[in-house]
Amino acid sequence: MTTEEKTKTKTLGKAAISLNGVGKKFSNTQVLEGISLDVSEGEIVALLGRSGCGKSTLLNIISGLLPFDQGTVSIEGVISKNYTDWHSIAYMFQEDRLLPWRSIIENVCLSLETGSSSFNERRQRAMKVLKIVGLEQVAHAWPYQLSGGMRSRAALARSLVINPSILLMDEPFSKLDPLTRSLMHTEVLRLQRERKVSVLLVTHDVEEAVVLADRIVVLAPSPGRVATIEPNQLSHPRVPTDPLVAEKIRQLRLKV
Amino acid sequence: MSIINQHWSLILQRLVLVSVFVIVWWLASLQMPAFILPGPQRVIEAVRRLFETPSFLNDVSATFRRVLLGFTLAMIVGATLGLLLGANKILARFFEPVLAVINTVSSAIWAIFAIIWFGISDATTVFVVFMTAMPLILTNVWQGVQTVDRQYIQLALSLRMSKLAILRKIVFPSILPYFFSSARLAFGFGWRVSLVAETIGASEGIGYRLRQAADLVQTDQVFAWTLLLVMMMLFIESSVLKPLEKRLFRWKATT
């Protein structure tokens, strides 16, 4: 096993995330089986699948929140058990999870509070990111005062403020209305290109996967496993009404 | 503009309520001997005399001292135990009956026990206040711990926060509303039961003076103390508790 791990590490030069035969059991149910996939640096990979095929479980495993039973997870070429630089991974959840008792800027600062930066440094960095996502006007507002789209931006800011090299996203826009969602897509693409973040995006929305991802991994349920991996080289911006994009969406729907 | 109007209309309503009360009281007092129902002027006069009594400040501060001491101890112990029980299900299941028993024992019974154990001393009142306030705070903090949102904990874990940081940044703020409302309730209860304890277990303090006045059939004195107590509670409520609540929970949507 160790020799295997070592060779794996060597060949992994350019992979931000590399999964090799990852499996997970909850009591006696196998939820994930033999998941192998790579996310290259600066790539957006979408994990597409119906609910219950273990997409979120996989993200929790990669983020180190959940132990797993089989296989290996490597992050930036390091087996995740030995990986110490967890601060380069940001996790954006399905819900915005803004702490209601903190103002927007304080929520963004939360990500930095495990580091060694001073209060003023944190504030400055948070404000910078809030400007990028267009929330500087409401930096001192309470979460309840913001719309769903703004809260989602705040959550994005909280993820980006640590300058992550890897961004894990668990259906982060599924609760937004279609218009706001597509605005957030544009935003994510812009930021991802500027910052060269590697993104692993979990979604059940085929359109979202096609619009955002460079590669789409389709998961099959019970147990969750990789069904197909679909490259996606359409040029940006991808508009769902564009015939090429629409065709891609149609094709992919048949595979999910 | 309409908010200001509402505000004034509320003040007017309160004034009407107070005047009606005073008038009814006054009319009723005309029909009865003063030792049963003294009239408003008599009671005001009694209040004035109270202020002039040399022991007045001493009595008030004695009661306050006991209530605050018992209440502070109750907050510390109640919050700590509540956190422990909230964090540990086995511990919680084991101690749950104890809490039920403590909650069913009336504060008058605690007062009697306190007399037996501590005699006529500050400890008697402090103990009764503590035994009344502590379970309230404990139960609420414990409940609060159980309502801490798992999603926030997961967020904190994804940010690699330490256990201590999670306690400070997620758990404490989550249970603060529970803690505050229970502390407020507990203070009110503690304050009331302290008088019960003082009537039998003290040689100074408001409760002691109340019983003394009753024993000597100085009904106007009893009324005067009651009036003062109500005023003091209203004052604490409006000058400490309300503003504190507003400040602590300004992040909550007001509906």
Side-chain angles (χ1 to χ4, degrees), chain B residues 201-223:
Chain B
S203 56
E204 58 179 355
I206 299 172
Y208 172 72
R209 295 293 165 206
L210 268 167
R211 200 199 59 185
Q212 211 178 32
D215 286 350
L216 301 171
V217 207
Q218 294 170 331
T219 316
D220 51 353
Q221 293 268 336
V222 176
F223 271 76

Side-chain angles (χ1 to χ4, degrees), chain B residues 2-3 11 13-14 25 34 51 57 68 76 95 108 134 141 151 155 181 184-185 196 206 224 237 241 254:
Chain B
S2 73
I3 289 172
I11 287 181
Q13 284 177 35
R14 292 289 141 84
W25 175 16
F51 281 128
L57 274 181
L68 283 180
I76 295 168
F95 281 109
M134 196 276 288
V141 169
Q151 293 191 341
L155 166 73
S181 66
R184 191 176 184 170
L185 198 68
V196 178
I206 299 172
E237 178 74 26
L241 297 178
T254 41

Side-chain angles (χ1 to χ4, degrees), chain A residues 60 63 65 86 93 95 97-101 110-111 113-114 142 144 158, chain B residues 151-152 154-155 157-161 169-170 173-174 250-254:
Chain A
N60 284 338
S63 70
L65 290 179
W86 289 102
F93 299 92
E95 314 77 14
R97 303 196 184 180
L98 297 174
L99 303 179
W101 55 83
L110 185 76
S111 297
E113 284 170 17
T114 36
W142 301 109
Y144 81 86
R158 185 183 55 202
Chain B
Q151 293 191 341
Y152 296 152
Q154 205 189 24
L155 166 73
L157 288 172
S158 84
L159 296 170
R160 309 291 147 182
M161 265 189 205
K169 292 173 193 218
I170 310 286
S174 296
R250 71 217 134 103
W251 50 270
K252 281 191 176 177
T254 41

